[in-house]
């Protein structure tokens, strides 16, 4: 009776940390019992994904080859399948190698190289053309790498060649609807090919990208028999016997879309901070919903002792803002520093008086001075504490330019960069369902920057439910202004919002990184010129 025992390692890799990534693989190999036949790692696991222009460094490939040799030598008890770059005769491939008894049984090159959205693989890699079929311990395994599974031809070729089990390794970034798309894809491909599929993904944050894990196992009938957890590392063993999976990990609990998004932001922040060598973060806590949610995420990601909020009131800051900021800080057990900016504002204004003497209270200049006073103080304290400064703005504000360069945009990581304002409220309500950490008054008050007397966001912007509906269509779905008007949005509103979005590109180019949680974020997904004319 044919039997294959396979361990799937869904792990969080560090980009560029070739030696430590390889050392971790060796450690996992050593932990496997003698009954395990094959150990699976994800796409480009050796280097982390995506290595980007590190791939242009010659030394990078020398180090990869050295570690691959060590990994191959260690495969005396268990075989190893690992993704890595491979440079041969001046051509670079996105490869996967199967090592056993010190030898490379097969090295397969990725055929379908994505070059859209967040992917730039044609910049680096040459498409492969070899067939990923290998006989291993009585089974014919078919190997694929990520995009190969999304296309029809590579899987059809493996099926025609007689593959009995498909192993597909991935570095598949998360977005709000990607898990559902993957499940549909795997069900269809397994059913059409009549072959079981093991889908291996990685987990963790890498700059603006986020990998959610959730590796999957599908039967030849297109049914999901095992699902790994989301946003967590997991190592689990599968038993494959006579074309059927007979054992595997218990199914992880399915998360709602809002719960997924929240956990994604927590993981993204934790990895960005820790992988870049920081221990602490700072943020401005204003008494508004965005900073309240950012604080909750930061504490969940790093712990209360590693989070430093600052309350920086101006003459226009309401008593309510101070009250709710103190309340939330106490609830989350963080030490809130209060640092009024009025003296700094007055110093700036006095210095500039000869040039802005006739400037009115509440003007853009006066508002921006306040925001930049706060940004300067926050950056100074971040420097002093060797901490990372978080910005708290959301995607709606970033879209229409409702933020201040070198003011509330000052910082290193924008946790809510890809979260529209209406979703900020959804996430805040979700977090309060876990435990009440965001004061009710924050959720109920009208959004305001408090940079001018009696100011509300809706003085300058359409109501957020309407604005966000437009932004989803224009930015995330890439619909044209004419299509938006035809869909029922008022023409004057469409022209106003589109003009605001297009004219704010120069600001977004100077914004910090933030985690991608939708199908189209500001960053790699959306690359518009700063200077252009579009009739």
């Amino acid at each position: 009776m044919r039997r294959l025992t396979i361990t799937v390692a869904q792990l969080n890799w560090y980009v560029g940390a070739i030696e430590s990534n390889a050392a971790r693989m060796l450690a996992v190999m050593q932990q496997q019992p003698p009954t395990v036949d094959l150990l699976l790692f994800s796409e480009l696991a050796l280097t982390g994904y995506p290595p980007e222009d590190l791939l242009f460094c010659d030394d990078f490939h020398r180090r990869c080859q050295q570690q691959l040799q060590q990994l191959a030598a260690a495969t005396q008890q268990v075989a190893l399948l690992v993704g890595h770059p491979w440079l041969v005769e001046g051509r670079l491939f996105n490869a996967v190698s199967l090592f056993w008894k010190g030898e490379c049984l097969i090295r397969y090159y990725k055929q379908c190289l994505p070059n859209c959205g967040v992917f730039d693989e044609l910049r680096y890699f040459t498409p492969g053309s070899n067939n990923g079929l290998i006989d291993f311990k009585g089974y014919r395994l078919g190997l694929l790498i990520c995009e190969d599974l999304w296309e029809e031809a590579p899987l059809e070729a493996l099926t025609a060649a007689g593959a009995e089990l498909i192993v597909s390794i991935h570095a598949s970034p998360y977005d709000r609807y990607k898990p559902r798309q993957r499940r549909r894809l795997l069900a269809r491909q397994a059913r059409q090919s009549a072959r079981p599929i093991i889908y291996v993904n990685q987990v963790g944050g890498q700059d603006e990208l986020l990998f959610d894990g959730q590796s999957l196992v599908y039967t030849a009938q297109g049914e999901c028999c095992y699902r790994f957890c989301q946003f967590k590392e997991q190592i689990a063993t599968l038993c494959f016997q006579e074309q059927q999976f007979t054992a595997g990990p218990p199914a992880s609990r399915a998360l709602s879309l809002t719960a997924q998004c929240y956990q994604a932001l927590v993981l993204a922040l934790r990895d960005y901070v820790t992988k870049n060598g920081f221990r602490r973060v700072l943020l401005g806590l204003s008494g508004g919903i965005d900073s309240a949610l950012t604080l909750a995420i930061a504490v969940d990601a790093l712990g209360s002792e590693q989070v430093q909020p600052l309350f920086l009131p101006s003459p226009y800051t309401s008593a309510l803002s101070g009250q709710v900021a103190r309340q939330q800080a106490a609830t989350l057990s963080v030490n809130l520093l209060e640092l009024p900016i009025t003296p700094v504002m007055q110093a700036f204004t006095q210095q500039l008086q000869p040039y802005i003497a006739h400037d009115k209270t509440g003007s853009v200049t006066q508002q921006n001075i306040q925001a930049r006073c706060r940004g300067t103080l926050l950056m100074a304290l971040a420097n002093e504490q060797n901490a990372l400064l978080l910005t708290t703005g959301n995607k709606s504000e970033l879209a229409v330019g409702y933020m201040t360069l070198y003011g509330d945009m000052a910082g290193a990581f924008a946790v809510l960069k890809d979260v529209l304002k209406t979703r900020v409220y959804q996430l805040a309500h979700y977090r309060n369902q876990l435990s009440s950490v965001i004061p009710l008054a924050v959720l109920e008050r009208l959004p305001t920057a408090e940079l001018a007397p009696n100011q509300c966001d809706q003085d300058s912007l359409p109501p957020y439910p309407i604005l966000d509906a437009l932004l989803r269509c224009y930015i995330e779905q890439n619909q044209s202004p004419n299509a938006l008007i035809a869909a029922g949005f008022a023409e004057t509103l469409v022209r106003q919002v589109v003009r605001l979005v297009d004219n704010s590109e120069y600001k977004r180019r100077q914004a910090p990184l933030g985690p991608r949680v939708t199908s189209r974020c500001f960053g790699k997904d959306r690359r518009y010129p700063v200077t252009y004319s579009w009739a």
Side-chain angles (χ1 to χ4, degrees), residues 1-243:
M1 181 177 291
R2 294 185 304 166
R3 179 186 177 95
L4 199 60
T5 304
I6 302 170
T7 294
V8 175
Q10 175 181 289
L11 297 177
N12 189 338
W13 305 108
Y14 281 44
V15 167
I18 298 168
E19 288 77 15
S20 62
N21 288 340
R24 190 162 191 211
M25 293 177 189
L26 288 170
V28 174
M29 290 176 65
Q30 293 166 1
Q31 294 165 5
Q32 301 308 304
T35 54
V36 171
D37 299 301
L38 179 61
L39 175 59
L40 308 180
F41 293 111
S42 56
E43 178 183 11
L44 291 181
L46 182 62
T47 62
Y49 188 95
E52 298 186 306
D53 283 10
L54 292 174
L55 291 166
F56 291 143
C57 303
D58 291 339
D59 188 56
F60 193 75
H61 301 289
R62 178 188 61 79
R63 291 166 56 197
C64 284
Q65 291 180 14
Q66 288 177 342
Q67 297 307 312
L68 288 171
Q69 290 171 3
Q70 293 187 32
L71 290 170
T75 57
Q76 302 305 315
Q77 300 298 323
V78 57
L80 170 66
L81 187 78
V82 57
H84 60 89
W86 187 251
L87 183 63
V88 56
E89 297 179 351
R91 294 187 298 170
L92 182 61
F93 296 95
N94 184 337
V96 59
S97 294
L98 176 57
F99 296 114
W100 174 232
K101 297 292 185 182
E103 302 293 331
C104 180
L105 300 186
I106 186 174
R107 179 164 288 133
Y108 169 73
Y109 302 141
K110 187 174 183 178
Q111 298 182 36
C112 304
L113 302 178
N115 207 59
C116 58
V118 299
F119 299 105
D120 289 309
E121 293 206 15
L122 284 175
R123 174 178 171 85
Y124 306 105
F125 299 114
T126 300
S129 58
N130 60 323
N131 191 292
L133 189 69
I134 179 69
D135 290 315
F136 179 73
K137 293 197 172 183
Y139 275 101
R140 306 202 80 189
L141 305 182
L143 307 183
L144 295 174
I145 302 177
C146 204
E147 192 75 9
D148 294 342
L149 186 64
W150 290 79
E151 303 293 336
E152 302 296 333
L155 181 57
E156 289 175 353
L158 287 175
T159 303
E164 297 174 277
L165 171 63
I166 306 300
V167 176
S168 187
I169 64 170
H170 294 249
S172 180
Y174 170 80
D175 68 54
R176 184 175 173 85
Y177 298 111
K178 182 65 72 66
R180 183 174 63 186
Q181 293 170 351
R182 293 192 202 114
R183 292 193 297 270
R184 290 176 176 174
L185 166 79
L186 284 160
R188 184 184 74 245
Q189 295 289 61
R191 189 168 53 249
Q192 290 180 355
S193 66
R195 299 296 188 275
I197 299 175
I198 301 175
Y199 160 92
V200 184
N201 198 18
Q202 69 175 40
V203 69
Q206 172 58 34
D207 294 341
E208 68 187 58
L209 297 184
L210 181 69
F211 301 91
D212 59 320
Q214 197 171 203
S215 300
L216 299 163
V217 182
Y218 272 71
T219 68
Q221 294 74 39
E223 299 294 329
C224 180
C225 53
Y226 299 110
R227 183 179 68 240
F228 285 54
C229 58
Q230 271 189 294
F231 309 112
K232 294 180 181 178
E233 292 188 324
Q234 185 177 0
I235 300 173
T237 300
L238 312 169
C239 291
F240 187 66
Q241 187 170 310
E242 296 299 332
Q243 300 300 106

Side-chain angles (χ1 to χ4, degrees), residues 247-482:
S252 61
R253 183 174 62 88
L255 299 174
S256 68
L257 288 177
T258 303
Q260 284 182 41
C261 185
Y262 190 85
Q263 295 303 322
L265 295 174
V266 169
L267 177 59
L269 175 58
R270 180 187 301 125
D271 272 7
Y272 189 82
V273 172
T274 57
K275 289 183 177 181
N276 283 289
F278 288 90
R279 294 184 57 212
R280 290 175 56 78
V281 295
L282 274 81
L283 70 150
L285 186 62
S286 68
I289 187 69
D290 300 314
S291 63
L293 178 61
T294 302
L295 177 60
I297 291 169
V299 171
D300 287 345
L302 304 169
S304 58
E305 293 183 356
Q306 309 306 324
V307 181
Q308 176 64 76
L310 286 91
F311 180 58
L312 304 162
S314 79
Y316 309 118
T317 302
S318 67
L320 175 63
S321 293
Q323 176 185 334
V324 294
R326 296 182 196 101
Q327 180 183 344
Q328 185 181 12
T331 302
L332 289 169
S333 300
V334 293
N335 178 35
L336 179 67
L337 293 182
E338 298 192 32
L339 196 59
I341 67 168
T342 302
V344 186
M345 287 173 54
Q346 291 172 345
F348 269 88
T349 304
Q350 184 177 358
Q351 186 72 18
L352 290 167
Q353 188 174 10
Y355 310 101
I356 61 170
H358 302 294
D359 202 36
K360 296 180 180 179
T361 299
S363 70
V364 171
T365 302
Q366 294 285 355
Q367 292 185 49
N368 286 347
I369 285 174
Q370 293 174 67
R372 287 172 183 142
C373 288
R374 290 191 173 104
T376 299
L377 295 176
L378 287 166
M379 284 300 303
L381 289 172
N383 293 155
E384 181 65 22
Q385 299 184 20
N386 191 29
L388 195 77
L389 178 59
L390 306 180
T391 64
T392 60
N394 59 65
K395 187 174 187 176
S396 305
E397 295 169 350
L398 193 62
V400 297
Y402 196 67
M403 66 276 190
T404 303
L405 281 171
Y406 329 118
D408 54 336
M409 291 179 67
F413 197 67
V415 181
L416 305 180
K417 184 176 182 177
D418 200 29
V419 181
L420 293 169
K421 186 76 168 189
T422 48
R423 290 205 180 115
V424 170
Y425 282 95
Q426 293 172 8
L427 290 168
H429 283 289
Y430 164 77
R431 181 58 185 85
N432 273 2
Q433 290 172 8
L434 304 180
S435 62
S436 184
V437 298
I438 298 175
L440 183 61
V442 174
L443 294 164
E444 293 179 342
R445 71 186 306 193
L446 287 175
T448 171
E450 291 193 319
L451 296 173
N454 303 314
Q455 185 184 48
C456 290
D457 289 6
Q458 289 183 199
D459 297 339
S460 305
L461 301 174
Y464 280 114
I466 298 173
L467 175 62
D468 285 358
L470 247 176
L471 294 176
R472 274 191 294 271
C473 294
Y474 183 57
I475 296 168
E476 296 178 10
Q477 299 172 20
N478 205 30
Q479 295 185 26
S480 69
N482 287 338

